[in-house]
Amino acid sequence: EILSYRVVFFQSVVFARVKMIDYRAGNWGFHVALGCEGSLVPKAVTMAIPNAIITFILATIWQMPGSDDVDGSTITNFHENTVKAAQMVIGTFTTIMTFILYNRSNIAYDRWWEGGTLLQKTRGEWFNAYSSIMAFTSTKPEMQEQVEAYVQLLARLMSLLMCCGLQQVSPNRDRGFEIFDLSGIEPESMDFLNDAPDKVEIILQWIQRSMVLHMQTGVLPIAPPILSRAFQEVSRGIVNLQNARKIADFPYPYPLAQISMI
């Protein structure tokens, strides 16, 4: 008979945190470029426009030749100086924007590569954990029915664990992923899981608890130090997933994203 799991309620610990700006560029990114919440553009424009007007007026007064000394060479030199100043401003602006775009592209590629690497590590660790648990199961003929039931249940829990893990790092947290059927998992447990804020941690507790219980029933007749290998692989998988989740939960800073979008 498939082992029944009782739902264990965990006391939640609330951490105070500052809400980050969760933005999505979409197809065109106009709402990112024109957004005001968390943007530095309004403050920058407020200080830049008066200074630009004052600078323009003073530069015009100082560089404009007087009526008594107007000749062709003076006007030519005035225009040449204006052109050089404009070229310097454009060159400085181009250098700054090139640095910003290069920096964002470099960071985006590093985050993309790191996220893919961490997900592959997560999959590998959890696959090794399942493979180790299967190798640790009993070979006694009278235990084969219980072993088969546990192996089938564990495969469904692992499938559900990977599904919820991918949902955590996906831009669309409600995106569906293909899993095995839920045979052997009580409906009450699934109702509790659907209402849980962090489904991965709940499923991880179910898997670890099942390993301990089945070691006591003889389904996993293995020494605890050897069984701890499976615990370590499961824990390394969740650590890699949390590092990948960090990339999904902490986007590129909005002010820098807006400047590069503009």
Side-chain angles (χ1 to χ4, degrees), residues 31-45:
H31 66 284
V32 177
L34 303 178
C36 292
E37 183 181 357
S39 175
L40 298 178
V41 174
K43 296 180 180 179
V45 170

Side-chain angles (χ1 to χ4, degrees), residues 108-149:
Y109 177 79
D110 291 341
R111 288 162 61 92
W112 172 78
W113 184 257
E114 183 184 4
T117 302
L118 291 172
L119 288 179
Q120 290 298 322
K121 287 183 178 180
T122 300
R123 178 185 180 276
E125 294 289 355
W126 287 344
F127 176 81
N128 288 336
Y130 180 75
S131 177
S132 298
I133 295 174
M134 286 190 62
F136 296 156
T137 56
S138 175
T139 58
K140 296 180 180 180
E142 62 273 15
M143 298 292 298
Q144 290 309 301
E145 184 177 352
Q146 298 181 34
V147 169
E148 180 68 19

Side-chain angles (χ1 to χ4, degrees), residues 18 69 139 177 186 211 228 238 243 257:
V18 180
D69 56 350
T139 58
F177 293 92
E186 294 181 345
M211 293 164 59
S228 65
I238 190 64
N243 287 329

Side-chain angles (χ1 to χ4, degrees), residues 3 5 10 126 129 133 150 154 157-158 161 200-216 220 227-239:
L3 180 64
Y5 291 89
F10 297 92
W126 287 344
I133 295 174
Y150 177 60
L154 185 62
L157 290 176
M158 284 291 186
L161 178 66
V200 173
E201 294 180 356
I202 302 299
I203 302 172
L204 188 68
Q205 293 296 327
W206 290 352
I207 294 175
Q208 292 180 335
R209 184 61 177 170
S210 71
M211 293 164 59
V212 174
L213 294 177
H214 283 87
M215 184 179 63
Q216 297 175 354
L220 296 174
L227 185 61
S228 65
R229 175 182 175 181
F231 282 93
Q232 294 172 0
E233 290 169 339
V234 171
S235 64
R236 285 196 299 265
I238 190 64
V239 170

